[in-house]
Structures are given as C-alpha cells and as structure tokens.
Amino acid sequence: ELAAVVASVPIPVKVIIETALLSDEEKHRACEAAVDADADMVKPSTGFADADPRGATVEDVERMADYLPVKASGGISDYETAMAMVEAGAERIGASRGLAVLDGAPE
C-alpha cells in the first residue's frame, strides 16, 4: 500500500512512523518498508500518540537515519533538544514551538 501511495504522487513522500507505539524490531521493519516503497523521508512521531506522547527520541532518530533522511518532531521544544536531534542524524526539525527553540540558540 505504501509503495502505491508513493508511486501515485509527484511530490516527495514523508512516512510517519509512530515510534512511541512500536518495538525496536517493528521500527526496523517500518523503516525497511519506507525504503522499499521508495519514500523520501521518515518521521519518528506525530507527538500525539495517546499511549506514550513523548515524541521523537535521539535513539529513534539515530536508528531511522540509517535508512532515510529524518524529520525529527514531537516533543522538540528547546534548542538543546533540536541540536541533539540534528547530531543524531535529523536533516529537518518540526517544532510547534519554533520561536522558543530559536530563543535558546547561541548568539
């Protein structure tokens, strides 16, 4: 199904993998499915998982960056967390508190 979605649109496709709800093996399989479907990017969290609303983790970003470019989002509310995600391999950051993240950046 994912490959059909990717093939049906002329724009890059980002696959959101709700990592807070998955085991490490399931995360691995989901990333492989995204690669096999020719997706362009993966995202570890919406930040809205009822069971565990922690959002993205450094460990998940590191794991996912081995497969595809990563957009880290969910729970990123300060500069230090954003930079930890970039250092872990995130190529993009999604943050609803973007101004707060930038306020913490060094001059």
Side-chain angles (χ1 to χ4, degrees):
E1 289 177 21
L2 184 55
V5 170
V6 173
S8 70
V9 295
I11 59 173
V13 174
K14 169 183 61 186
V15 175
I16 302 173
I17 300 169
E18 199 67 72
T19 55
L21 305 177
L22 302 176
S23 69
D24 287 346
E25 176 58 26
E26 290 168 327
K27 294 171 193 177
H28 168 74
R29 289 185 7 230
C31 287
E32 286 183 333
V35 169
D36 291 345
D38 205 25
D40 296 283
M41 180 175 290
V42 288
K43 178 179 168 183
S45 176
T46 61
F48 296 110
D50 289 338
D52 185 354
R54 64 190 164 117
T57 67
V58 168
E59 294 80 16
D60 287 337
V61 170
E62 287 175 336
R63 177 181 297 111
M64 296 171 85
D66 288 339
Y67 295 92
L68 288 168
V70 176
K71 176 182 180 182
S73 63
I76 301 171
S77 59
D78 59 50
Y79 179 78
E80 291 76 21
T81 303
M83 290 311 300
M85 297 297 175
V86 170
E87 290 170 9
E91 293 190 14
R92 295 183 185 190
I93 298 293
S96 59
R97 299 182 48 161
L99 292 177
V101 170
L102 292 176
D103 283 343
E107 294 294 323

